[in-house]
């Protein structure tokens, strides 16, 4: 199983994502979002705490995941798909870039708890 998490799913599965032998994958956009969440003035204290905790756990468990870097060529994929350019579409384009490089694509799962991200992903992939 090859799992690519978006930011929302990382936060909601905070206590489970490190309990597997298999690596998981995330976009560097999620790291930027987590940094923003932890100091946000509009997020509740629990969400901010979970973002801080998740960033610490990611640091302590660097062997459990891989970061897919967002690039301008990934951004071109967003334009090709006629998606709005925002963090959700950037994460989807990074997941799609990663998916297209896999030898065994049938084992790929894109995990999201974000309704917008889920709708965009379903509509374009």
């Amino acid at each position: 199983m090859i799992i690519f998490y978006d930011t929302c799913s990382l936060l909601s599965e905070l206590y489970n994502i490190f309990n597997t032998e298999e690596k998981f994958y995330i976009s560097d956009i999620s790291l930027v979002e987590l940094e923003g969440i932890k100091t946000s003035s509009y997020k509740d204290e629990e969400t901010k705490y979970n973002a801080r905790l998740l960033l610490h756990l990611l640091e302590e468990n660097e062997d459990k995941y891989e970061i897919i870097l967002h690039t301008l060529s990934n951004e071109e994929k967003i334009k090709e798909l006629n998606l709005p350019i925002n963090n959700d579409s950037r994460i989807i384009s990074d997941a799609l870039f990663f998916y297209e490089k896999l030898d065994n694509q049938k084992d790929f799962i894109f995990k999201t708890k974000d309704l917008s991200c889920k709708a965009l992903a379903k509509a374009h992939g």
Side-chain angles (χ1 to χ4, degrees), residues 12-49:
S12 37
E13 298 193 29
L14 170 66
Y15 297 103
N16 299 320
I17 58 176
F18 299 104
N19 294 336
T20 178
E21 295 299 314
E22 296 181 36
K23 269 190 175 182
F24 62 89
Y25 299 84
I26 61 174
S27 169
D28 65 330
I29 300 295
S30 290
L31 296 176
V32 171
E33 288 187 326
L34 289 168
E35 284 294 330
I37 290 169
K38 74 179 192 177
T39 60
S40 171
S41 61
Y42 61 90
K43 295 288 185 180
D44 62 79
E45 290 305 314
E46 180 181 4
T47 302
K48 292 192 299 188
Y49 171 80

Side-chain angles (χ1 to χ4, degrees), residues 71-89:
T71 65
L72 290 178
S73 62
N74 294 9
E75 197 100 356
E76 287 301 315
K77 191 63 95 173
I78 297 170
K79 293 175 188 171
E80 288 173 22
L81 296 171
N82 292 317
L83 294 172
I85 296 177
N86 58 36
N87 283 348
D88 285 345
S89 62

Side-chain angles (χ1 to χ4, degrees), residues 92-107:
I92 291 168
S93 73
D94 296 343
L96 185 57
F97 168 81
F98 177 72
Y99 171 79
E100 289 173 347
K101 293 194 171 284
L102 292 174
D103 291 331
N104 190 2
Q105 295 175 334
K106 68 181 177 121
D107 289 338

